[in-house]
Amino acid sequence: MKPAAFEYHRPDTLDEALALLAARAGEAKPLAGGQSLIPAMNFRLARPGVLVDLNRLAELAYVRPAEGGLRIGAMTRQRVVERSSAVQGAAPLLAEALPFVAHPQIRNRGTVGGSLAHADPAAELPAVMVALAARFEARSRSGSRTIPAAEFFTGLFGTALAPDELLVEIALPPLPARSATAFLEVARRHGDYALVGVAAVVTLDERGRCREARITLLSVGGGPVLAAEAARVLAGQTPSEDVVRAAAEAAATRDADPPSDIHASAGYRRHLAAVLTRRALVRAFERAGHVA
Amino acid sequence: MKDRVAAQMTVNGVPCERAVEPRLLLSDFLRYELGLTGTHVGCEHGVCGACTVLLDGEAVRSCLMFAIQADGHEVTTVEGLAPDGGGAGSESLHPLQAAFREAHALQCGFCTPGILMTLVPFLRDHPSPNEREIREALSGNLCRCTGYQNIVAAVKLACDAPPPPPPSPSLRR
Amino acid sequence: MIVEGTFTFQGPRETVWELLQNPDVLVKVLPGAKRLVRAGEDRFDGVMQVGVGPVTAAEFTVSVMLKDKVPPQYYAMEVDSKGTLGFTRGSARVALEVLADGGTLMKYTAELQVGGKIAGVGQRLLDQVAKLMTRQGLEALNKELRARLAGGSSR
Amino acid sequence: MRRNEDARLLTGRALFVDDVQVEGMLHVAFLRSQHAHACLRTVDVAAARRRPGVVAVYTAADLGDYWRPGPLLVPPPPIAGLVFNACTQLPLARDKVRHVGEPIAMVVAESRYLAEDALDDVMVDAEPLAAVVDVEAALAPGAPLVHDHLPSNVAAHVVQRKGDYGRARAGAHATIRRRFRYDRGASAAIENRAVAAQWDPRAEELTVWDTTQAPIPIRNGLASLLGLLESQVRVIAPFVGGGFGPKIMMFYPEELLVPWAALRLGRPVKWTEDRQENFYATTQERGQVHDAELAIARDGKILGVRDVFLHDTGAYDPYGLTVPINSQCTLLGPYDVPTYESEFTAVFTNKTIVTPVRGAGRQHGVFVMERLLDFAAAELGIDRAEIRRRNLLRPEQFPHNHEIIFQDSAPLVYDSGDYAPALDEALRIIGYERFVRDEQPRLRAAGRHVGIGVVCYVEGTGIGPYEGARVTVEPSGRVRVATGVGTQGQGHFTAFAQIVAEVLGVDVERVHVITGDTREFHWGTGTFASRGAVVAGSACHAAALAVRERILDVASRHLEAAKQDLELADGHVRVRGAPDSAVSLGELALKANPLRGAVRPGTEPGLEATAYFGPARGSTANGVHAAIVEVDPETALVEVRRYVVVHDSGRVINPLLVDGQIQGGVAHGIGNAFYEQLVYDENGQLLNASFMDYLLPTATDVPPVETAHRETPSPLNPLGVKGVGEAGAIPTGAAFAQAVEDALSDYGVEITEIPLSPNRLFELITQAGRGGAGGRPKR
């Protein structure tokens, strides 16, 4: 289990990195934390011909409060984000989800941007970003553009990034008033890929009814699944046990199209999706100050 | 650039420079280029944790990094834990190593270096952890022999022991 | 592994049939196909390069045998591929039905064996990858079909 | 008590095989079959040979006379009517491959990276064949054949009987009949296998470093195969990172080929298995299907058991029948079973070879018996603990002859035991009565699903044939102990030192133990079957006693005192009551090795003795496991709340080591019960060949184990000890199944299979509930 040979570049600046990607588009693979890419290379499942190592791009490693929300540089280590008091304050959902991402040794090295660009359907961060309606900044030599998280993920390991583009920053908008969040997942062991996970953001109106619910599920489709049907069930409703249960059923049966693997059949995943959505919603509504 | 590239780093407080092939894993570099075979390799896909070392004081999987990526950084391996590399007597062990010995926290000892290197920064950040925290901190390291119970006991023992002096330069923050 | 489903093409059955038997078309629509040549009456040989997520540029040599053809409504095929990452062997049955709106309904069932490294370490994703590649291939074929009907190739 | 070996292990100084680096060393990678079953047409290695950095590439054709099937390691025991078809593994596949991962070609290169690069260059033309995967389908008429020269896939067929089960059944109040499954697992030592070899042309000596549990048999076998004197081959098993069975003297292909290549190339050669190879090429265990029946009286007394089972032996069967015979014999457990009829068929399949893994088939037998008793208890309305108590063998029934043959070819006779107090103690520690009476009803009323399981087991340990040890007092006063068994973490360095230290009256830390180096000691077999402490420990004890006699002889002359007036303590001999008379063992060692002058005729120099120990048969340890679990029926996740083990392995040499063995065993057992399953698809492809998908339990999955010891000495060895290496792993599945079933009693879930993943438990809950996602309670 040794990686195949590759051509290695380690730019010191973002511009240099973008120039390399432009020059070797389609051939060059960016290396962020490497905690998914390097195992794949050790198995020789991945054999990139050219690696562009982003680890020297200190300019992409930051967590900054901005406009009531947060801006996170793509090369910020997951562990730094997890420990950041700014994140705990402005994006508790992200802070709650990060401990589920593998293990501390992996998060010490793994980056936020790397995980998002990898777009594993079982990964926590894509689901969290979609639930939080994050906006991603992608940059290439020809300029930069902003991509809403929900449009960034295009299916199994697919993203909206062009081969010469890098994800450079994640902007998290502030949570609206009377909002709360919850993250839950079921994995075989602590730190494993989730069999199913749920990230929920709920916002109440002045009368305690659900104004908006952004629920995303992971490991039940090709990418993070935004549960639109479940949100529809909740919209305008006072979050009672029945309403929450109906929303959870909608998420599991109408929003999710889960795959089967050796750890969980599609049926078990669907069932877990209902259970976890219900539990996550209950927790989020409680945190939002609603007592059912 | 498939050829060798110069990598300069500090390993256990000692500066070193080698020309490495970019694909050389840090684990293999430490073991075969530097002869620091205390860092063990159990899976090479980042699950077992046996290869855990400190990079600038934080625990990382050395099988999931290329040696060239440690260029300019400080690496600490299990050989760098005890003040003089661990001579014959227990007085030369790091307090955590001594606690492992005291609590019978190792059997075959193969996973042990990775577990020690995981726990050193954990205990720096959590000087008096509870059982739950200890087990979660350990959950990225596989041990087939001990059932983890005595490892948890050793951590508790180490917490009761006086705090360790900074044993090597790279452990200081 | 079983992959089955239906797909609706916006075009007449005869044209769909014709495209499905044409290696020059198939090489364009099959995800990752680099080469596909007719190696016999009902046999195609080729090379595919599959890249999904962490798996980049896995090259497979592929051979396809068509069988039991009932133009333009039914055929079966046997597909063999192999490469350093593993192999696949499978058989598929494809039926085409004329729809009232002039379109064509394809019903397909494939039974696929996967072996080697991709089976040993890729199980979590096999199901989804198979579905994804099938869908991508069929959508590309439909696009090609519509381009032809509109009077040209998609390129 | 600190372990003597720990300082080296904790500081990274301990030598493991992959740490061996010698100037000029070459590295090996193997090209392995992607197919479970295929005819090999051609293997073209020309391109690989041309790749820069590649030194040699070998296929079966290149091995010449060296190509021959491996040895049959354990011939079957003498059981009447036994059928056994020996098909041992091949160094490199020649005409056919029989499991995924079987080696086809060997690449030797300047680095492992380059060797792996060259694997891509090897062109294999293989014609896939239908694979034999399921043991029942394997025996169906017309099934494809794993070995073409045999008429079927039957590897072995064995029937053993005790008494007349048919008659017992006719008189039974009830019969309980179920089908049980226990699926495959991996040993998953964290250190993968490794072999390094170096030929020294000047000394004409071959040194082989090998992650083996049995260096002496490997040395003997290699010498014979390579045409060398045994004294020309030195096999060293240095520190070994966990054994658990598969590192026994397997004569794995890699073990044979690496030394051969080192000789042929005249350069040191090393191969280290990677984790992926480990999942295909290191032997595995645990695939059995049992159809079992228990005949029981109204009062819960066992009248007899009938069990017919299929055992999946994988593609080859070099390890004979050890595993299924263990299953067959261990099923009887600690119980008085008057009649028994057991029949098994071992079946060849296109899967990795099956050999013992911690427990070695014993857990399968325990699972069947314990589950049958649970179902009987429910049927008869008897408490689960009580039905066990009523059937336990009583102290006056020992030695107890079960009238069948055990894996060591000796009759299955339990040497000693006192079973009921162990059960009582386990029930007391876990608070069985209070839990069943108060806690469980209270928690259930609060909507929580908690359950308890209590199971009993025996473990046949410490089998022969023999081990030896040499004890030497050095002039420094330090003591050297050399023995042949390898050590993989059991603490032999310390346990053997303790045994010798106690006899010689020296500090344990002054006793230096050397194991696993054939130059130091070359008689013996190896570490397996929980026998290290029993057999090698007894040999150490015997050698220490002999040295003690020599010490007393020399001291008696020196101190001019009668031997019976001398005492050994603190590394000195002194005349009792005369503290000033003390003379150190070091001084005596010098006196026993005079460099000038005459000695009395017949005197042997030095304070040294070698002794051997071979038990008449194995000693039988026993114990009880009790567990409390909580199940979330909505998610089908299970949490182990408490785990109690009461174990009796005779006299305990070192409680710390014994507890460590049990804690590790329970973790292994919990893995087998809930996390670990090698999943093969219908074509013989292993679907979880990595630690991402093959789930070893982690620190958050394993509960603290509460242990208690009872000590019923074994009469079969002077130390009175019994083995303990596998005890923790044996009854865990049965305890787990009972506790989960109890926790879900209002769903009516019945558990007859292990491992039990959440996915499978979800299916069982759903089926039991009949309708409604996740099922609904019956009551």
Side-chain angles (χ1 to χ4, degrees):
Chain A
M1 287 188 50
K2 309 296 182 191
F6 50 83
E7 187 183 313
Y8 178 75
H9 298 273
R10 40 175 177 172
D12 289 310
T13 64
L14 178 59
D15 288 342
E16 224 180 296
L18 295 175
L20 276 163
L21 287 179
R24 311 294 294 269
E27 199 184 356
K29 175 93 183 158
L31 171 64
Q35 303 299 284
S36 296
L37 178 58
I38 298 180
M41 291 176 69
N42 289 355
F43 279 115
R44 297 201 180 204
L45 292 171
R47 300 183 188 208
V50 180
L51 273 189
V52 177
D53 186 346
L54 308 179
N55 283 281
R56 293 193 166 191
L57 305 186
E59 62 197 287
L60 294 186
Y62 56 85
V63 179
R64 273 183 216 132
E67 304 102 40
L70 285 176
R71 288 181 179 273
I72 301 174
M75 282 302 290
T76 313
R77 309 282 170 196
Q78 291 158 4
R79 197 85 164 127
V80 170
V81 176
E82 178 186 352
R83 289 170 168 175
S84 152
S85 53
V87 170
Q88 282 155 15
L93 181 67
L94 181 55
E96 191 175 12
L98 272 164
F100 290 96
V101 180
H103 302 285
Q105 298 101 319
I106 300 289
R107 300 198 293 277
N108 277 334
R109 195 77 194 143
T111 64
V112 175
S115 172
L116 297 172
H118 183 56
D120 190 308
E124 288 82 2
L125 294 184
V128 165
M129 295 304 173
V130 172
L132 290 175
R135 299 174 72 77
F136 296 168
E137 186 190 344
R139 199 156 328 153
S140 71
R141 278 249 288 201
S142 44
S144 102
R145 61 180 178 134
T146 300
I147 309 168
E151 289 163 32
F152 182 81
F153 301 101
T154 56
L156 198 58
F157 295 103
T159 70
L161 290 174
D164 65 341
E165 257 181 335
L166 276 182
L167 171 60
V168 295
E169 186 184 82
I170 299 96
L172 295 175
L175 283 178
R178 289 178 301 278
S179 293
T181 63
F183 185 88
L184 282 178
E185 73 173 44
V186 166
R188 286 301 318 267
R189 300 170 304 182
H190 184 84
D192 280 343
Y193 287 113
L195 301 182
V196 174
V198 177
V201 180
V202 298
T203 304
L204 301 178
D205 65 14
E206 294 86 343
R207 297 164 57 186
R209 291 173 309 197
C210 179
R211 168 175 289 166
E212 194 191 1
R214 286 181 71 86
I215 305 157
T216 50
L217 292 95
L218 53 111
S219 236
V220 297
V225 172
L226 183 62
E229 295 289 338
R232 238 190 297 284
V233 171
L234 289 165
Q237 299 290 317
T238 305
S240 67
E241 197 186 320
D242 284 348
V243 166
V244 165
R245 199 175 278 278
E249 283 304 316
T253 54
R254 301 211 291 274
D255 291 311
D257 178 18
S260 286
D261 72 359
I262 63 167
H263 299 304
S265 64
Y268 179 42
R269 280 204 162 85
R270 207 180 280 286
H271 169 76
L272 285 176
V275 171
L276 292 185
T277 303
R278 193 191 78 226
R279 291 182 181 180
L281 284 172
V282 167
R283 186 171 292 181
F285 281 125
E286 273 172 16
R287 287 175 176 171
H290 178 86
V291 181
Chain B
M1 278 237 283
K2 282 183 183 170
D3 299 322
R4 288 167 184 260
V5 188
Q8 238 181 349
M9 65 190 89
T10 304
V11 179
N12 299 329
V14 181
C16 69
E17 183 172 355
R18 293 282 191 289
V20 297
E21 204 188 346
R23 66 166 161 168
L24 183 68
L25 296 171
L26 179 60
S27 46
D28 286 341
F29 173 79
L30 294 170
R31 290 177 52 75
Y32 308 124
E33 295 284 328
L34 301 186
L36 295 170
T37 52
T39 298
H40 295 155
V41 170
C43 74
E44 291 177 304
H45 52 280
V47 183
C48 81
C51 69
T52 303
V53 299
L54 304 188
L55 182 77
D56 299 329
E58 299 293 347
V60 298
R61 313 280 206 215
S62 62
C63 76
L64 297 190
M65 271 185 72
F66 300 112
I68 186 65
Q69 294 187 287
D71 184 37
H73 295 272
E74 283 189 355
V75 178
T76 310
T77 69
V78 70
E79 288 92 342
L81 270 192
D84 61 359
S90 73
E91 54 284 348
S92 57
L93 295 180
H94 180 283
L96 188 62
Q97 290 171 320
F100 265 59
R101 179 166 153 157
E102 216 55 53
H104 186 33
L106 63 155
Q107 290 184 26
C108 81
F110 192 80
C111 68
T112 310
I115 289 182
L116 291 169
M117 301 319 281
T118 296
L119 288 172
V120 164
F122 168 71
L123 289 174
R124 178 197 62 208
D125 299 340
H126 305 80
S128 44
N130 61 31
E131 169 125 5
R132 186 85 226 152
E133 290 167 329
I134 297 170
R135 286 185 178 268
E136 278 180 12
L138 282 169
S139 67
N141 290 79
L142 297 177
C143 170
R144 191 55 146 172
C145 295
T146 65
Y148 307 100
Q149 188 162 344
N150 287 344
I151 300 176
V152 175
V155 175
K156 290 177 178 169
L157 188 65
C159 295
D160 293 340
S168 81
S170 52
L171 287 179
R172 283 197 209 109
R173 294 200 92 202
Chain C
M1 182 170 48
I2 308 265
V3 183
E4 55 188 352
T6 56
F7 189 85
T8 305
F9 290 98
Q10 276 104 43
R13 181 162 77 168
E14 283 68 21
T15 318
V16 174
W17 175 270
E18 187 200 315
L19 294 183
L20 282 169
Q21 314 292 320
N22 182 344
D24 298 332
V25 173
L26 293 177
V27 77
K28 270 164 57 181
V29 302
L30 291 177
K34 277 171 67 181
R35 203 175 70 226
L36 198 66
V37 295
R38 191 176 290 277
E41 165 75 32
D42 280 323
R43 182 186 162 128
F44 307 129
D45 285 346
V47 174
M48 284 180 77
Q49 205 164 30
V50 178
V52 179
V55 180
T56 49
E59 205 166 271
F60 294 85
T61 58
V62 187
S63 81
V64 182
M65 293 271 280
L66 302 183
K67 300 196 315 190
D68 308 332
K69 279 164 47 170
V70 186
Q73 57 191 34
Y74 177 85
Y75 67 99
M77 61 181 175
E78 310 236 313
V79 185
D80 263 324
S81 77
K82 62 177 189 176
T84 55
L85 291 188
F87 65 89
T88 63
R89 301 175 69 212
S91 57
R93 293 189 305 271
V94 179
L96 300 176
E97 288 171 22
V98 177
L99 291 175
D101 66 358
T104 305
L105 179 71
M106 174 194 267
K107 292 181 177 165
Y108 59 90
T109 310
E111 215 183 308
L112 204 62
Q113 280 185 34
V114 179
K117 208 173 277 190
I118 42 177
V121 295
Q123 72 82 23
R124 180 171 71 95
L125 303 167
L126 283 181
D127 196 31
Q128 297 188 84
V129 170
K131 280 186 200 159
L132 177 76
M133 288 180 59
T134 308
R135 204 186 60 230
Q136 284 176 348
L138 293 172
E139 278 168 3
L141 189 65
N142 194 33
K143 203 169 144 201
E144 180 69 22
L145 172 73
R146 283 187 297 173
R148 293 229 167 171
L149 296 173
S153 143
S154 66
R155 278 190 209 170
Chain D
M1 169 65 62
R2 295 161 164 179
R3 294 203 317 173
N4 287 347
E5 53 268 54
D6 285 354
R8 275 178 289 171
L9 291 164
L10 283 162
T11 54
R13 282 182 290 127
L15 181 85
F16 291 85
V17 174
D18 187 54
D19 302 344
V20 172
Q21 291 180 86
V22 182
E23 188 64 34
M25 192 165 244
L26 297 170
H27 299 266
V28 172
F30 286 93
L31 181 84
R32 297 178 183 278
S33 175
Q34 295 184 345
H35 295 279
H37 198 191
C39 279
L40 273 185
R41 285 194 291 234
T42 56
V43 181
D44 179 357
V45 299
R49 283 188 176 134
R50 284 194 303 268
R51 182 180 278 269
V54 171
V55 173
V57 184
Y58 302 116
T59 64
D62 300 310
L63 299 184
D65 289 347
Y66 198 65
W67 190 94
R68 70 192 88 163
L72 176 63
L73 304 163
V74 185
I79 296 170
L82 175 144
V83 174
F84 180 68
N85 296 312
C87 293
T88 58
Q89 79 270 29
L90 311 169
L92 290 172
R94 194 168 59 182
D95 311 313
K96 197 172 164 180
V97 287
R98 294 185 176 85
H99 67 87
V100 176
E102 191 167 6
I104 294 172
M106 175 188 192
V107 175
V108 188
E110 297 291 344
S111 82
R112 174 69 181 233
Y113 290 73
L114 293 169
E116 288 190 23
D117 291 347
L119 295 181
D120 287 356
D121 303 336
V122 180
M123 297 297 167
V124 176
D125 183 10
E127 158 105 49
L129 301 168
V132 180
V133 179
D134 176 76
V135 280
E136 288 174 273
L139 297 179
L145 293 176
V146 178
H147 296 281
D148 300 309
H149 68 283
L150 294 175
S152 75
N153 290 312
V154 171
H157 182 254
V158 176
V159 182
Q160 295 214 69
R161 283 194 185 86
K162 173 190 185 184
D164 185 345
Y165 174 74
R167 223 162 93 189
R169 184 184 198 277
H173 169 75
T175 53
I176 309 293
R177 198 172 182 168
R178 294 289 190 285
R179 164 164 274 217
F180 300 98
R181 283 176 192 278
Y182 208 121
D183 207 358
R184 270 191 184 228
S187 59
I190 306 301
E191 180 199 36
N192 291 308
R193 292 183 296 125
V195 189
Q198 183 178 27
W199 171 249
D200 179 344
R202 293 193 175 120
E204 294 193 327
E205 187 188 73
L206 177 71
T207 304
V208 178
W209 294 265
D210 188 358
T211 54
T212 179
Q213 297 169 221
I216 297 168
I218 293 292
R219 179 198 71 153
N220 299 349
L222 282 178
S224 154
L225 289 164
L226 295 167
L228 297 169
L229 290 168
E230 289 183 356
S231 58
Q232 283 180 290
V233 182
R234 177 184 184 190
V235 174
I236 302 170
F239 280 95
V240 173
F244 312 115
K247 286 181 181 165
I248 196 62
M249 64 286 196
M250 278 301 302
F251 293 97
Y252 279 104
E254 304 89 351
E255 232 165 2
L256 298 174
L257 294 171
V258 168
W260 176 83
L263 272 173
R264 195 177 160 102
L265 296 170
R267 285 180 67 177
V269 177
K270 179 166 78 178
W271 166 77
T272 301
E273 183 181 58
D274 65 32
R275 183 53 62 183
Q276 204 173 19
E277 292 182 286
N278 182 270
F279 274 102
Y280 296 114
T282 288
T283 57
Q284 305 171 347
E285 203 213 349
R286 295 188 177 97
Q288 292 184 359
V289 183
H290 290 250
D291 285 301
E293 185 180 85
L294 173 73
I296 197 140
R298 178 71 198 91
D299 63 357
K301 287 284 282 179
I302 298 168
L303 300 176
V305 177
R306 177 176 156 74
D307 180 30
V308 179
F309 70 96
L310 300 176
H311 169 77
D312 177 355
T313 195
Y316 303 94
D317 59 356
Y319 216 85
L321 298 176
T322 301
V323 175
I325 288 184
N326 271 341
S327 309
Q328 184 168 59
C329 289
T330 310
L331 183 142
L332 295 168
Y335 306 114
D336 189 353
V337 183
T339 69
Y340 184 38
E341 199 173 299
S342 171
E343 172 183 352
F344 72 78
T345 306
V347 182
F348 288 118
T349 58
N350 290 118
K351 290 183 248 175
T352 298
I353 302 173
V354 167
T355 69
V357 175
R358 198 173 207 170
R362 295 176 182 88
Q363 52 271 64
H364 304 63
V366 170
F367 184 71
V368 171
M369 185 60 146
E370 293 299 314
R371 295 273 58 206
L372 285 171
L373 284 173
D374 292 337
F375 298 133
E379 173 124 355
L380 299 174
I382 301 174
D383 173 77
R384 283 170 286 155
E386 180 56 27
I387 199 170
R388 289 173 166 81
R389 192 193 324 273
R390 287 182 195 173
N391 286 292
L392 290 176
L393 289 165
R394 296 179 309 280
E396 66 272 19
Q397 289 177 285
F398 292 92
H400 186 79
N401 189 341
H402 271 303
E403 300 169 33
I404 56 175
I405 302 291
F406 191 44
Q407 54 140 313
D408 60 352
S409 296
L412 180 65
V413 178
Y414 294 178
D415 52 337
S416 65
D418 190 6
Y419 295 164
L423 176 59
D424 292 339
E425 193 164 352
L427 295 174
R428 183 183 58 72
I429 295 172
I430 204 154
Y432 182 81
E433 259 185 61
R434 194 185 62 246
F435 179 84
V436 173
R437 200 184 50 224
D438 307 330
E439 231 170 307
Q440 193 175 33
R442 184 169 50 77
L443 291 167
R444 279 203 179 148
R448 289 171 60 185
H449 293 78
V450 291
I452 195 164
V454 180
V455 297
C456 304
Y457 64 98
V458 297
E459 183 197 357
T461 74
I463 59 171
Y466 78 95
E467 288 298 336
R470 184 178 66 244
V471 173
T472 311
V473 179
E474 297 209 347
S476 63
R478 294 182 64 190
V479 180
R480 270 162 51 89
V481 180
T483 176
V485 296
T487 188
Q488 307 89 41
Q490 297 89 341
H492 291 150
F493 294 102
T494 309
F496 296 163
Q498 270 183 272
I499 292 168
V500 171
E502 194 180 304
V503 172
L504 299 185
V506 298
D507 192 65
V508 179
E509 290 179 13
R510 305 272 291 166
V511 181
H512 183 68
V513 176
I514 299 161
T515 70
D517 182 347
T518 59
R519 180 181 276 177
E520 296 287 339
F521 202 86
H522 63 261
W523 295 105
T525 50
T527 304
F528 53 90
S530 301
R531 69 191 289 275
V534 181
V535 188
S538 294
C540 289
H541 184 251
L545 283 177
V547 168
R548 183 187 168 96
E549 273 310 299
R550 298 180 64 85
I551 291 170
L552 290 174
D553 278 339
V554 177
S556 143
R557 283 199 298 280
H558 175 68
L559 296 171
E560 294 175 344
K563 277 160 71 172
Q564 62 269 25
D565 293 335
L566 301 178
E567 60 181 16
L568 275 72
D570 311 325
H572 289 75
V573 184
R574 58 175 69 85
V575 181
R576 208 166 274 120
D580 295 345
S581 65
V583 53
S584 75
L585 295 189
E587 282 175 71
L588 292 172
L590 279 170
K591 288 186 192 310
N593 184 24
L595 298 176
R596 290 290 185 276
V599 295
R600 282 191 293 183
T603 300
E604 284 179 30
L607 300 179
E608 180 173 286
T610 300
Y612 298 89
F613 179 77
R617 57 177 184 272
S619 53
T620 304
N622 70 284
V624 178
H625 285 206
I628 293 178
V629 304
E630 178 160 5
V631 184
D632 178 346
E634 277 198 330
T635 58
L637 297 183
V638 179
E639 192 165 338
V640 185
R641 295 266 176 228
R642 281 186 72 194
Y643 206 97
V644 171
V645 176
V646 176
H647 186 67
D648 187 342
S649 53
R651 202 190 131 205
V652 172
I653 299 169
N654 185 325
L656 202 64
L657 298 182
V658 168
D659 279 351
Q661 286 293 313
I662 288 175
Q663 290 159 7
V666 169
H668 202 145
I670 286 176
N672 293 154
F674 201 56
Y675 294 98
E676 300 179 36
Q677 181 172 23
L678 291 165
V679 181
Y680 284 87
D681 74 4
E682 64 279 12
N683 305 303
Q685 295 288 334
L686 178 61
L687 296 181
N688 51 347
S690 80
F691 275 163
M692 293 178 295
D693 286 320
Y694 185 84
L695 310 176
L696 292 191
T698 71
T700 48
D701 308 313
V702 179
V705 180
E706 303 160 58
T707 48
H709 301 287
R710 301 190 50 79
E711 301 194 32
T712 311
S714 171
L716 298 177
N717 64 71
L719 299 171
V721 299
K722 301 175 178 180
V724 68
E726 301 167 87
I730 291 172
T732 329
F736 189 83
Q738 191 192 118
V740 170
E741 206 173 275
D742 185 38
L744 294 173
S745 59
D746 51 354
Y747 287 80
V749 166
E750 190 170 89
I751 295 168
T752 54
E753 66 196 274
I754 286 291
L756 190 70
S757 66
N759 188 60
R760 183 66 189 131
L761 189 56
F762 165 74
E763 286 172 6
L764 292 174
I765 292 171
T766 309
Q767 284 161 17
R770 298 205 207 309
R776 295 276 187 271
K778 272 183 172 173
R779 294 185 285 275

